[in-house]
């Protein structure tokens, strides 16, 4: 494939030839007509979403969103839960207590008594079922789950619900329109069949826990291991890298102590880094562990964080610029569907952050331009590089000013176009 008249950093306006899945030539524009006329738009390395939950994202097409932005309040939640046909299962996602307070089976019975309802908390960690759902699944025998609240029990519950249609082709098409050429799926316990399930996506895939990808460790304060226990678990999977879910101060400290004991390896990651106190940053920098963060969460969830987060942690939420300035390897993931699936929205949030955490526009783009297995190592378009690319309607400077997916014109994986022709 020949892409003519494109802007490539370090080369200016050039033609770019692709072959065998790689960039095989970058040179001055010639007279030959190309397969794609770039019209002076920038050609860039493809974006990689370094933390996403693809099956859950694909299930959104069969779900009702009931978060603060969608449901708003109790009446909005009730309306959403009652909107489908009577008697059919309702799968609601994105819930936060600011909508209608704490949920249990009896609260949901009051909201929607005539159909099986299950509601997932915005964190993804909690499902709440009403009595109709428990009865339909044969789980209404009291005991564990008798209140309809199931904490991190997705695997157990999966066999008790009707199959959910997964719109993976839609996920892939929307991601291609953003310029995404790769994903890192961050589920903590992926089934061995997950790569095959996700193979319909046109993007490249890294699936945590499968092959040579990092092994995911999911920490919760209520069941937090000691540093020694976590170190032993990490040592058991070495030499593979690990990706440790850290959303509280104590989880980060336990993880740093464990990695100090085992010694870090290339590819080790902190997922989220939701609370990173300033005094831990030199420690992180010394260990060389990459932080894969979500700089959009303080923007998307600012109202809830103002009341939910301990005042002592407010200044340390989802650091971005301060991590980079401290020499800590940094990258970003959308965490979709628990955050926006649009990496350009994440970039805008990173640029607009307050409290000294805003980054420059190019640095925001680079948060998604890292190598799949080394997220903080930014890829550059050059002869010999993998032809995972996206083409813009406009030059790079204009795209950075706009910071919107509207600038994306075409996306290529291995030199093959994965967006519809114009």
């Amino acid at each position: 494939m020949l892409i003519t008249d494109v802007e490539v950093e370090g080369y200016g306006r050039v033609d770019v030839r692709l072959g065998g899945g790689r960039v095989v030539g970058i040179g001055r524009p010639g007279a030959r007509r190309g397969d794609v006329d770039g019209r002076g738009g920038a050609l860039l390395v493809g974006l990689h979403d370094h933390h996403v939950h693809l099956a859950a994202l694909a299930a959104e097409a069969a779900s009702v969103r009931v978060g603060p932005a969608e449901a708003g309040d109790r009446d909005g939640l009730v309306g959403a839960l009652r909107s489908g046909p009577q008697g059919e299962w309702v799968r609601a996602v994105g819930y936060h207590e600011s909508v209608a307070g704490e949920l249990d089976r009896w609260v949901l019975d009051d909201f929607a008594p005539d159909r099986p309802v299950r509601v997932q908390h915005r964190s993804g960690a909690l499902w709440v079922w009403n009595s109709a759902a428990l009865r339909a699944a044969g789980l209404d025998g009291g005991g564990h789950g008798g209140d309809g609240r199931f904490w991190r029990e997705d695997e157990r519950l999966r066999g008790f619900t009707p199959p959910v249609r997964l719109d993976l082709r839609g996920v892939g098409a929307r991601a291609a329109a953003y310029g995404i050429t790769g994903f890192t799926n961050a589920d903590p316990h992926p089934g061995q069949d997950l790569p095959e399930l996700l193979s319909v996506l046109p993007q490249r895939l890294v699936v945590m826990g499968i092959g040579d990808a990092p092994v995911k460790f999911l920490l919760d304060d209520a069941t937090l291991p000691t540093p020694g226990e976590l170190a032993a678990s990490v040592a058991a999977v070495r030499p593979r890298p690990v990706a440790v879910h850290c959303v509280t101060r104590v989880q980060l400290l336990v993880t740093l102590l464990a990695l100090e004991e085992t010694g870090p390896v290339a590819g080790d990651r902190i997922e989220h880094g939701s609370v990173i106190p300033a005094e831990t940053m030199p420690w992180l920098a010394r260990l060389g562990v990459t932080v894969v963060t979500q700089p959009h969460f303080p923007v998307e969830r600012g109202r809830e964080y103002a009341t939910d987060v301990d005042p002592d942690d407010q200044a340390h939420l989802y650091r971005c610029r301060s991590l980079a300035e401290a020499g800590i390897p940094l990258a970003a993931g959308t965490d979709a569907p628990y955050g926006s699936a649009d990496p350009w929205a994440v970039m805008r949030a990173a640029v607009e952050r307050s409290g000294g955490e805003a980054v420059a526009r190019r640095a925001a783009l680079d948060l998604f331009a890292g190598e799949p297995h080394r997220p903080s190592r930014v890829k550059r378009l050059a002869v010999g590089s993998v032809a995972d690319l996206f083409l813009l309607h406009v030059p790079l400077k204009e795209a950075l000013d706009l910071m919107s997916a509207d600038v994306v014109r075409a996306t290529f994986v291995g030199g093959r176009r994965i967006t519809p022709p114009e």
Side-chain angles (χ1 to χ4, degrees):
M1 178 181 290
L2 179 65
I3 307 175
T4 60
D5 190 23
V6 290
E7 177 195 66
V8 175
E9 287 183 281
Y11 293 90
R13 295 277 283 268
V14 293
D15 292 349
V16 175
R17 184 177 296 279
L18 313 179
R22 294 187 175 272
V23 177
V24 297
I26 302 176
R28 295 177 62 182
R32 181 181 170 185
R33 182 176 180 179
D35 300 287
V36 178
D37 181 357
R39 306 171 197 158
L43 185 66
L44 302 172
V45 296
L47 304 178
H48 190 98
D49 188 339
H50 295 288
H51 185 115
V52 63
H53 302 273
L54 290 164
L57 180 59
E60 276 209 317
S63 307
V64 179
R65 291 206 61 85
V66 292
E70 299 87 10
D73 56 17
R74 180 187 183 281
D75 290 342
L77 174 62
V78 171
L81 298 181
R82 295 181 179 179
S83 60
Q86 183 173 334
E88 289 193 4
W89 278 79
V90 176
R91 183 183 193 273
V93 297
Y95 183 77
H96 182 266
E97 292 80 5
S98 61
V99 174
E102 295 282 351
L103 300 180
D104 58 26
R105 67 183 291 180
W106 300 286
V107 172
L108 290 181
D109 287 350
D110 183 50
F111 292 170
D114 62 343
R115 68 202 69 199
V117 170
R118 53 185 175 131
V119 179
Q120 186 183 45
H121 190 269
R122 183 175 66 184
S123 65
L126 173 70
W127 282 99
V128 186
W129 292 29
N130 73 348
S131 295
L134 293 168
R135 288 193 297 270
L139 296 174
D140 196 21
H144 185 58
D147 59 359
R149 293 169 62 87
F150 299 95
W151 178 261
R152 297 210 186 281
E153 295 194 61
D154 291 56
E155 288 184 274
R156 176 193 171 209
L157 297 176
R158 197 166 291 130
F160 292 103
T161 60
V164 175
R165 184 179 69 85
L166 300 181
D167 183 21
L168 285 164
R169 295 190 186 279
V171 167
R174 288 187 291 274
Y178 295 142
I180 293 176
T181 59
F183 294 110
T184 294
N185 190 79
D187 295 351
H189 304 293
Q192 291 299 313
D193 60 343
L194 184 59
E196 181 179 357
L197 175 70
L198 300 178
S199 65
V200 302
L201 294 165
Q203 287 82 8
R204 297 187 190 272
L205 294 171
V206 176
V207 179
M208 286 187 182
I210 303 292
D212 60 352
V215 177
K216 177 87 176 279
F217 285 86
L218 182 64
L219 303 184
D220 287 310
D221 285 0
T223 57
L224 196 64
T226 67
E229 289 169 341
L230 181 58
S233 297
V234 171
V237 304
R238 291 299 197 214
R240 293 176 67 184
V242 296
V244 187
H245 166 105
C246 291
V247 298
T248 66
R249 182 186 296 243
V250 68
Q251 290 171 19
L252 177 67
L253 292 174
V254 167
T255 299
L256 294 178
L257 286 166
L259 291 176
E260 188 77 68
E261 181 175 335
T262 61
V265 302
D268 280 345
R269 303 159 47 133
I270 299 292
E271 303 302 310
H272 309 301
S274 307
V275 180
I276 300 182
E279 60 269 21
T280 66
M281 290 199 289
W283 195 359
L284 268 169
R286 178 170 55 79
L287 289 172
V289 180
T290 298
V291 174
V292 179
T293 188
Q294 286 75 46
H296 53 312
F297 278 5
V299 177
E300 291 183 358
R301 306 177 176 184
R303 185 182 69 177
E304 292 82 21
Y305 281 173
T307 56
D308 292 354
V309 176
D310 189 302
D312 290 341
D313 291 338
Q314 293 282 349
H316 311 303
L317 287 174
Y318 292 95
R319 290 181 179 275
C320 203
R321 180 176 178 177
S322 60
L323 295 181
E325 290 179 341
I328 297 166
L330 186 65
T334 64
D335 200 24
Y338 311 115
S340 170
D342 180 357
W344 296 90
V346 180
M347 294 178 216
R348 288 196 301 274
V351 168
E352 296 167 0
R353 286 284 302 275
S354 60
E357 292 300 334
V359 300
R361 291 176 179 272
R362 181 54 203 252
L365 177 65
D366 285 347
L367 292 172
F368 288 94
E371 297 177 2
H373 290 277
R374 297 291 186 273
S376 65
R377 186 182 297 169
V378 177
K379 302 171 291 184
R380 296 296 181 215
L381 199 164
V383 174
S385 63
V386 175
D388 295 351
L389 311 166
F390 70 108
L391 174 65
L392 305 183
H393 289 287
V394 297
L396 178 58
K397 183 180 184 304
E398 187 175 343
L400 293 177
D401 288 340
L402 294 170
M403 201 66 81
S404 166
D406 291 341
V407 301
V408 178
R409 179 178 161 200
T411 302
F412 307 86
V413 173
R416 180 178 64 87
R417 184 168 181 160
I418 64 170
T419 46
E422 296 163 304

PDB file of all heavy atoms in Angstrom, residues 2 15 26 34 89 94 96 105 130 144 153 164 190 202 214 260 289 310 340 413:
ATOM      1  N   LEU A   2       0.493   2.224  -0.800  1.00  0.00           N
ATOM      2  CA  LEU A   2       1.193   3.497  -0.846  1.00  0.00           C
ATOM      3  C   LEU A   2       0.251   4.590  -0.348  1.00  0.00           C
ATOM      4  O   LEU A   2      -0.842   4.765  -0.887  1.00  0.00           O
ATOM      5  CB  LEU A   2       1.656   3.815  -2.265  1.00  0.00           C
ATOM      6  CG  LEU A   2       2.382   5.158  -2.440  1.00  0.00           C
ATOM      7  CD1 LEU A   2       3.694   5.167  -1.676  1.00  0.00           C
ATOM      8  CD2 LEU A   2       2.616   5.445  -3.929  1.00  0.00           C
ATOM      9  N   ASP A  15       5.631  10.528   1.133  1.00  0.00           N
ATOM     10  CA  ASP A  15       4.845   9.344   0.812  1.00  0.00           C
ATOM     11  C   ASP A  15       5.341   8.205   1.698  1.00  0.00           C
ATOM     12  O   ASP A  15       6.537   8.111   2.009  1.00  0.00           O
ATOM     13  CB  ASP A  15       5.024   8.936  -0.653  1.00  0.00           C
ATOM     14  CG  ASP A  15       4.430   9.944  -1.623  1.00  0.00           C
ATOM     15  OD1 ASP A  15       3.707  10.855  -1.174  1.00  0.00           O
ATOM     16  OD2 ASP A  15       4.715   9.816  -2.830  1.00  0.00           O
ATOM     17  N   ILE A  26       9.780   5.551   3.349  1.00  0.00           N
ATOM     18  CA  ILE A  26       9.327   6.915   3.620  1.00  0.00           C
ATOM     19  C   ILE A  26      10.171   7.818   2.743  1.00  0.00           C
ATOM     20  O   ILE A  26      11.406   7.833   2.862  1.00  0.00           O
ATOM     21  CB  ILE A  26       9.517   7.304   5.111  1.00  0.00           C
ATOM     22  CG1 ILE A  26       8.773   6.337   6.023  1.00  0.00           C
ATOM     23  CG2 ILE A  26       9.039   8.736   5.353  1.00  0.00           C
ATOM     24  CD1 ILE A  26       9.001   6.590   7.514  1.00  0.00           C
ATOM     25  N   GLY A  34      -1.225   7.199  -5.214  1.00  0.00           N
ATOM     26  CA  GLY A  34      -1.200   6.245  -4.132  1.00  0.00           C
ATOM     27  C   GLY A  34      -2.525   5.526  -3.944  1.00  0.00           C
ATOM     28  O   GLY A  34      -3.550   5.886  -4.534  1.00  0.00           O
ATOM     29  N   TRP A  89     -35.051 -10.003  31.779  1.00  0.00           N
ATOM     30  CA  TRP A  89     -33.900  -9.606  32.591  1.00  0.00           C
ATOM     31  C   TRP A  89     -33.446  -8.197  32.219  1.00  0.00           C
ATOM     32  O   TRP A  89     -33.428  -7.831  31.040  1.00  0.00           O
ATOM     33  CB  TRP A  89     -32.741 -10.564  32.376  1.00  0.00           C
ATOM     34  CG  TRP A  89     -32.817 -11.831  33.171  1.00  0.00           C
ATOM     35  CD1 TRP A  89     -33.582 -12.926  32.893  1.00  0.00           C
ATOM     36  CD2 TRP A  89     -32.092 -12.138  34.368  1.00  0.00           C
ATOM     37  NE1 TRP A  89     -33.384 -13.899  33.844  1.00  0.00           N
ATOM     38  CE2 TRP A  89     -32.471 -13.444  34.762  1.00  0.00           C
ATOM     39  CE3 TRP A  89     -31.163 -11.445  35.137  1.00  0.00           C
ATOM     40  CZ2 TRP A  89     -31.951 -14.069  35.893  1.00  0.00           C
ATOM     41  CZ3 TRP A  89     -30.637 -12.057  36.264  1.00  0.00           C
ATOM     42  CH2 TRP A  89     -31.036 -13.352  36.646  1.00  0.00           C
ATOM     43  N   GLY A  94     -22.940   0.862  35.661  1.00  0.00           N
ATOM     44  CA  GLY A  94     -22.464   2.216  35.912  1.00  0.00           C
ATOM     45  C   GLY A  94     -23.040   2.875  37.147  1.00  0.00           C
ATOM     46  O   GLY A  94     -22.878   4.084  37.342  1.00  0.00           O
ATOM     47  N   HIS A  96     -23.794   4.398  40.793  1.00  0.00           N
ATOM     48  CA  HIS A  96     -23.074   4.997  41.926  1.00  0.00           C
ATOM     49  C   HIS A  96     -24.096   5.437  42.965  1.00  0.00           C
ATOM     50  O   HIS A  96     -25.227   5.829  42.616  1.00  0.00           O
ATOM     51  CB  HIS A  96     -22.235   6.202  41.472  1.00  0.00           C
ATOM     52  CG  HIS A  96     -21.436   6.812  42.583  1.00  0.00           C
ATOM     53  ND1 HIS A  96     -21.895   7.881  43.315  1.00  0.00           N
ATOM     54  CD2 HIS A  96     -20.221   6.482  43.102  1.00  0.00           C
ATOM     55  CE1 HIS A  96     -20.983   8.195  44.239  1.00  0.00           C
ATOM     56  NE2 HIS A  96     -19.968   7.362  44.134  1.00  0.00           N
ATOM     57  N   ARG A 105     -31.252  -6.210  47.568  1.00  0.00           N
ATOM     58  CA  ARG A 105     -32.343  -6.856  46.828  1.00  0.00           C
ATOM     59  C   ARG A 105     -33.682  -6.182  47.101  1.00  0.00           C
ATOM     60  O   ARG A 105     -34.513  -6.054  46.195  1.00  0.00           O
ATOM     61  CB  ARG A 105     -32.412  -8.346  47.174  1.00  0.00           C
ATOM     62  CG  ARG A 105     -32.831  -8.641  48.603  1.00  0.00           C
ATOM     63  CD  ARG A 105     -32.825 -10.124  48.929  1.00  0.00           C
ATOM     64  NE  ARG A 105     -33.866 -10.855  48.227  1.00  0.00           N
ATOM     65  CZ  ARG A 105     -34.056 -12.168  48.349  1.00  0.00           C
ATOM     66  NH1 ARG A 105     -33.264 -12.886  49.155  1.00  0.00           N
ATOM     67  NH2 ARG A 105     -35.025 -12.776  47.684  1.00  0.00           N
ATOM     68  N   ASN A 130     -32.089  -8.231  42.384  1.00  0.00           N
ATOM     69  CA  ASN A 130     -33.361  -8.193  43.110  1.00  0.00           C
ATOM     70  C   ASN A 130     -33.876  -9.616  43.335  1.00  0.00           C
ATOM     71  O   ASN A 130     -33.277 -10.603  42.882  1.00  0.00           O
ATOM     72  CB  ASN A 130     -34.384  -7.304  42.390  1.00  0.00           C
ATOM     73  CG  ASN A 130     -34.934  -7.934  41.116  1.00  0.00           C
ATOM     74  OD1 ASN A 130     -34.426  -8.936  40.622  1.00  0.00           O
ATOM     75  ND2 ASN A 130     -35.982  -7.328  40.573  1.00  0.00           N
ATOM     76  N   HIS A 144     -25.159 -16.859  51.792  1.00  0.00           N
ATOM     77  CA  HIS A 144     -24.318 -15.910  51.064  1.00  0.00           C
ATOM     78  C   HIS A 144     -25.073 -15.349  49.869  1.00  0.00           C
ATOM     79  O   HIS A 144     -25.618 -16.084  49.058  1.00  0.00           O
ATOM     80  CB  HIS A 144     -23.039 -16.616  50.609  1.00  0.00           C
ATOM     81  CG  HIS A 144     -22.061 -15.696  49.948  1.00  0.00           C
ATOM     82  ND1 HIS A 144     -21.554 -14.583  50.567  1.00  0.00           N
ATOM     83  CD2 HIS A 144     -21.505 -15.729  48.717  1.00  0.00           C
ATOM     84  CE1 HIS A 144     -20.716 -13.976  49.749  1.00  0.00           C
ATOM     85  NE2 HIS A 144     -20.673 -14.650  48.617  1.00  0.00           N
ATOM     86  N   GLU A 153     -17.820 -11.434  42.337  1.00  0.00           N
ATOM     87  CA  GLU A 153     -18.244 -12.814  42.098  1.00  0.00           C
ATOM     88  C   GLU A 153     -18.699 -13.021  40.656  1.00  0.00           C
ATOM     89  O   GLU A 153     -19.557 -13.864  40.380  1.00  0.00           O
ATOM     90  CB  GLU A 153     -19.350 -13.198  43.083  1.00  0.00           C
ATOM     91  CG  GLU A 153     -18.902 -13.232  44.529  1.00  0.00           C
ATOM     92  CD  GLU A 153     -19.892 -13.928  45.423  1.00  0.00           C
ATOM     93  OE1 GLU A 153     -20.152 -15.127  45.200  1.00  0.00           O
ATOM     94  OE2 GLU A 153     -20.416 -13.273  46.343  1.00  0.00           O
ATOM     95  N   VAL A 164     -25.522 -12.957  27.419  1.00  0.00           N
ATOM     96  CA  VAL A 164     -25.567 -11.541  27.028  1.00  0.00           C
ATOM     97  C   VAL A 164     -24.908 -11.400  25.664  1.00  0.00           C
ATOM     98  O   VAL A 164     -23.797 -11.907  25.432  1.00  0.00           O
ATOM     99  CB  VAL A 164     -24.840 -10.659  28.066  1.00  0.00           C
ATOM    100  CG1 VAL A 164     -24.778  -9.212  27.592  1.00  0.00           C
ATOM    101  CG2 VAL A 164     -25.535 -10.754  29.415  1.00  0.00           C
ATOM    102  N   PRO A 190      -8.903 -14.071  33.412  1.00  0.00           N
ATOM    103  CA  PRO A 190      -9.418 -14.369  32.072  1.00  0.00           C
ATOM    104  C   PRO A 190      -9.522 -15.866  31.839  1.00  0.00           C
ATOM    105  O   PRO A 190      -8.643 -16.644  32.250  1.00  0.00           O
ATOM    106  CB  PRO A 190      -8.358 -13.752  31.152  1.00  0.00           C
ATOM    107  CG  PRO A 190      -7.093 -13.831  31.964  1.00  0.00           C
ATOM    108  CD  PRO A 190      -7.508 -13.595  33.392  1.00  0.00           C
ATOM    109  N   PRO A 202     -10.474  -6.325  15.139  1.00  0.00           N
ATOM    110  CA  PRO A 202      -9.402  -6.121  14.159  1.00  0.00           C
ATOM    111  C   PRO A 202      -8.116  -5.592  14.774  1.00  0.00           C
ATOM    112  O   PRO A 202      -7.079  -5.559  14.119  1.00  0.00           O
ATOM    113  CB  PRO A 202     -10.003  -5.098  13.187  1.00  0.00           C
ATOM    114  CG  PRO A 202     -10.964  -4.309  14.030  1.00  0.00           C
ATOM    115  CD  PRO A 202     -11.538  -5.303  15.017  1.00  0.00           C
ATOM    116  N   PRO A 214       1.483  -9.530  31.208  1.00  0.00           N
ATOM    117  CA  PRO A 214       1.582  -9.433  32.665  1.00  0.00           C
ATOM    118  C   PRO A 214       0.473 -10.217  33.361  1.00  0.00           C
ATOM    119  O   PRO A 214      -0.632 -10.355  32.844  1.00  0.00           O
ATOM    120  CB  PRO A 214       1.433  -7.923  32.922  1.00  0.00           C
ATOM    121  CG  PRO A 214       1.803  -7.266  31.646  1.00  0.00           C
ATOM    122  CD  PRO A 214       1.376  -8.203  30.561  1.00  0.00           C
ATOM    123  N   GLU A 260       9.737  -4.519  46.170  1.00  0.00           N
ATOM    124  CA  GLU A 260      11.066  -4.298  46.734  1.00  0.00           C
ATOM    125  C   GLU A 260      11.680  -5.627  47.148  1.00  0.00           C
ATOM    126  O   GLU A 260      12.875  -5.879  46.939  1.00  0.00           O
ATOM    127  CB  GLU A 260      10.960  -3.371  47.943  1.00  0.00           C
ATOM    128  CG  GLU A 260      12.283  -2.910  48.518  1.00  0.00           C
ATOM    129  CD  GLU A 260      12.930  -1.818  47.684  1.00  0.00           C
ATOM    130  OE1 GLU A 260      12.395  -0.703  47.641  1.00  0.00           O
ATOM    131  OE2 GLU A 260      13.982  -2.106  47.067  1.00  0.00           O
ATOM    132  N   VAL A 289       8.794   0.959  37.955  1.00  0.00           N
ATOM    133  CA  VAL A 289       7.513   0.340  37.623  1.00  0.00           C
ATOM    134  C   VAL A 289       6.632   1.342  36.877  1.00  0.00           C
ATOM    135  O   VAL A 289       6.522   2.506  37.278  1.00  0.00           O
ATOM    136  CB  VAL A 289       6.794  -0.133  38.905  1.00  0.00           C
ATOM    137  CG1 VAL A 289       5.459  -0.778  38.576  1.00  0.00           C
ATOM    138  CG2 VAL A 289       7.680  -1.102  39.677  1.00  0.00           C
ATOM    139  N   ASP A 310     -11.266  10.226  50.924  1.00  0.00           N
ATOM    140  CA  ASP A 310     -10.713  10.813  52.148  1.00  0.00           C
ATOM    141  C   ASP A 310     -10.018  12.134  51.821  1.00  0.00           C
ATOM    142  O   ASP A 310      -9.256  12.208  50.846  1.00  0.00           O
ATOM    143  CB  ASP A 310      -9.706   9.831  52.754  1.00  0.00           C
ATOM    144  CG  ASP A 310      -9.237  10.249  54.132  1.00  0.00           C
ATOM    145  OD1 ASP A 310      -8.703  11.367  54.266  1.00  0.00           O
ATOM    146  OD2 ASP A 310      -9.392   9.462  55.080  1.00  0.00           O
ATOM    147  N   SER A 340     -14.841   6.391  30.140  1.00  0.00           N
ATOM    148  CA  SER A 340     -15.077   6.640  28.716  1.00  0.00           C
ATOM    149  C   SER A 340     -14.172   5.766  27.860  1.00  0.00           C
ATOM    150  O   SER A 340     -12.977   5.608  28.152  1.00  0.00           O
ATOM    151  CB  SER A 340     -14.800   8.110  28.398  1.00  0.00           C
ATOM    152  OG  SER A 340     -14.807   8.328  26.997  1.00  0.00           O
ATOM    153  N   VAL A 413      -3.991  -1.636  10.657  1.00  0.00           N
ATOM    154  CA  VAL A 413      -3.315  -2.612  11.510  1.00  0.00           C
ATOM    155  C   VAL A 413      -2.553  -3.573  10.613  1.00  0.00           C
ATOM    156  O   VAL A 413      -3.136  -4.206   9.721  1.00  0.00           O
ATOM    157  CB  VAL A 413      -4.316  -3.386  12.388  1.00  0.00           C
ATOM    158  CG1 VAL A 413      -3.610  -4.517  13.128  1.00  0.00           C
ATOM    159  CG2 VAL A 413      -4.973  -2.443  13.390  1.00  0.00           C
TER     160      VAL A 413
END
